Amino acid sequence: MKQEFIITIYSENNIGLLNRITIIFTRRKINIESLTVSASAIPGISKFTVVINETEERIKKVVGQLEKVVDVLKAFYHSNEEMVFQELALYKVPTEALYDSDQIEQLVRKSGARILEITRDFTVIEKTGHKEETQKMFEDLSQFGVLQFIRSGRIAITRDPIERLSEFLKERDALLEAMD
Amino acid sequence: MPVTKWNYQVTEASEIPEAIAKAFYIAQSGRPGPVLLDIAKDAQFQELDFEYKKCTKIRSYIPEHPVDPFKVKEAAELIDAAKKPLLLFGQGVIIANAEEELKEFIEKTGIPAAWTLLGLSALPSDHPLNVGMLGMHGNYGPNIKTNESDLIIAVGMRFDDRVTGKVSSYATNAKIIHLEVDPAEINKIIKADVGVLGSAKKSLPMLTMNVKANKHQAWLQEFRDCDKIEMEKVIQKDTFPTKGGLSMGEAVRITSEKVKNNAVLVTDVGQQQMIASRYFKFTQSKSNVTSGGLGTMGFGVPAALGAQLGAKDRTVCCFVGDGGFQMTLQELGTIVQNRLPVKIILLNNNFLGMVRQWQQLFFDRRYSFTELHNPDFIMIANGFGMPAHKVTKREDLEAGIQKMLDHNGPYLLEVVVEKEDNVFPMVPAGASVSDIILEA
Ligand SMILES: Cc1ncc(C[n+]2csc(CCOP(=O)(O)OP(=O)(O)O)c2C)c(N)n1
């Protein structure tokens, strides 16, 4: 059965790697629902967070292929339940709408969103949450005319008490040492 | 980029030594593969203080994982308990230089062993436990017996679709042990009951130590009985035909005999590749070069040139079809220029033979774009300054081959073969290995 999975890939920070990674998905016709790339907590190591809808069996194979990429250190996969995750959304609405009624203000308060910037013409609202939540906010704001709406890729953190990457790096160092 | 193992773009000359060192390390270690270094023009023209340090490890890349002794124990237990074990070996054995280790293992356990297309030559052809080639056009025995075996021991092979046929009806009665250097291959196509990660050079001797000495004479005899059937229905006709035009099989057989089964075989892609892989015989390892999974026509001639450079004192016999030959025949120039004594045997059936075979068997002989209008190949070879000779009759074949082998230098022998011969046995695409057919 297909379900949403979050794949986390740790890699050396090399140019061209993104292409090598996405090719693994496109070759198998797996759609990338969301992709976030950033520096990890460990200097020099990049972190990719990829959300895809697939069966666990295929995910396992994809993870194997990802780890085979020379510059990839390690890839993990998790179900949504195993991770705390968020996306960030920005909404641009006409400032006029805020004057007309306090509905937007109520919405912002109720949903834990915040206002980032107000100009004479427009106001930018920021909300973090799961996709359904940022989507709901978009729908709620629609009646006031949303000028622009953008949602980020997903970022996620494991519920696991151990930091698996540092564990992995320790093991890897031992393995590399043993190669001498 | 999709076909390289690793690639890197160099934009500064100062990066070049390290990038080159890394490139060689990656290309040659673990599961070897091509790497691509793209050195920008700017970097090519810069100057640098040259210092070269060999690359011996990379943090993100473990070419060879250490073998887990517990997995070896588990595998050994399965092996000791098996009644009908079958070992399948591929190029992993050759890459790891584990040919002796393979031989010791099968000789201690008495387990019949079959090679994949790329495993050819890792074991002598006439080794008593060698039961032949797997795959779509492999031998009858190892294909049929795969589904009767109760234990498959796969060594340095990846269960390619040409080997497995329909995966859901592959090795249905067998437990699977998979010895493999690449973690991504274990459980990829066929779920392994025991996966032993690591180089076969290390895992095989550990396994040999842990298993009991055994014999599987009756089981082995079943393979030999299959050989008899295949000999009668296919091999005899292929390699010793008495009527009709020349066959690819007889050209391959005679060539192999004349080089005392001790040459390097290079093949292109198609019928000639399958026939040569079936009938060419080997006495030493690292004697087979073919494109395998990335089966690209045109591979043969340039690969033969490379094989000759890599094995200067060996005879290199390159079998190529009239279709594939025309894809890279410009390399005849390189062969002549470098005075490489490559022997090219062009098996000319005037068709894209393998595709024609499919069109005949599965599309009611509706031939579409498979018949070729060929040039005069002898003139082409001569044009490059390469001596060439054409054989059309059975009585001239042996002498033609002998002349080619006796010639000191590169040589093209064109053998005009029967236009519509087919390669058998055949596991039809999408069928189970049990459904292998011996004739149309
Ligand atoms: C570059 C390339 N194009 C197409 C194919 C598909 N293909 C596989 S075998 C074959 C026919 C080969 O014909 P020929 O070289 O004459 O050899 P024969 O089968 O007759 O021995 C073709 C077209 C391929 N493998 N590679």
Side-chain angles (χ1 to χ4, degrees), chain A residues 48-65:
Chain A
F48 296 68
T49 307
V50 189
V51 181
I52 58 176
N53 230 316
E54 255 308 333
T55 60
E56 183 161 5
E57 210 189 315
R58 279 196 98 195
I59 296 277
K60 275 190 197 157
K61 289 179 190 171
V62 164
V63 165
Q65 293 299 318

Side-chain angles (χ1 to χ4, degrees), chain A residues 12 20 61 68 70 176 180, chain B residues 4 7 57 60 182 188:
Chain A
E12 301 293 355
R20 262 195 186 272
K61 289 179 190 171
K68 190 166 156 167
V70 168
L176 288 167
D180 289 328
Chain B
T4 60
N7 61 291
K57 55 179 125 173
S60 61
D182 177 357
K188 189 180 87 175

Side-chain angles (χ1 to χ4, degrees), chain B residues 21-77:
Chain B
K22 223 173 144 180
F24 272 94
Y25 174 61
I26 293 169
Q28 295 177 322
S29 56
R31 226 177 133 178
V35 297
L36 173 76
L37 266 190
D38 175 1
I39 303 178
K41 188 82 190 267
D42 288 356
Q44 291 179 28
F45 281 70
Q46 283 167 3
E47 286 191 4
L48 75 154
D49 292 325
F50 181 73
E51 198 193 340
Y52 191 77
K53 224 175 107 225
K54 212 172 155 182
C55 175
T56 54
K57 55 179 125 173
I58 296 172
R59 176 171 69 167
S60 61
Y61 168 68
I62 303 293
E64 209 186 291
H65 287 262
V67 179
D68 179 350
F70 292 104
K71 294 279 183 202
V72 172
K73 283 236 160 60
E74 266 181 70
E77 278 166 25

Side-chain angles (χ1 to χ4, degrees), chain B residues 263-340:
Chain B
V264 176
L265 169 69
V266 181
T267 48
D268 203 71
V269 178
Q271 290 186 313
Q272 103 291 137
Q273 173 192 34
M274 290 299 119
I275 294 285
S277 304
R278 287 173 54 76
Y279 300 128
F280 207 80
K281 297 204 161 34
F282 304 97
T283 47
Q284 63 171 305
S285 183
K286 297 179 178 60
S287 298
N288 172 50
V289 182
T290 197
S291 54
L294 283 172
T296 327
M297 287 167 68
F299 176 87
V301 171
L305 176 182
Q308 189 73 77
L309 279 170
K312 286 234 165 71
D313 45 11
R314 295 191 65 190
T315 305
V316 173
C317 296
C318 169
F319 288 89
V320 58
D322 44 317
F325 183 62
Q326 294 184 68
M327 292 190 174
T328 47
L329 54 74
Q330 71 276 20
E331 296 307 327
L332 295 183
T334 319
I335 290 171
V336 172
Q337 187 172 10
N338 291 282
R339 297 201 190 90
L340 298 166

Side-chain angles (χ1 to χ4, degrees), chain B residues 248 268-275 291 294-299 320-327 346-357 369-370 372 374 417 419 421 423:
Chain B
M248 291 186 175
D268 203 71
V269 178
Q271 290 186 313
Q272 103 291 137
Q273 173 192 34
M274 290 299 119
I275 294 285
S291 54
L294 283 172
T296 327
M297 287 167 68
F299 176 87
V320 58
D322 44 317
F325 183 62
Q326 294 184 68
M327 292 190 174
L346 171 61
L347 299 178
N348 182 1
N349 53 13
N350 220 82
F351 270 103
L352 296 171
M354 186 55 92
V355 179
R356 185 210 54 75
Q357 173 168 348
F369 304 101
T370 41
L372 297 175
N374 281 331
V417 296
K419 290 177 79 169
D421 270 356
V423 187

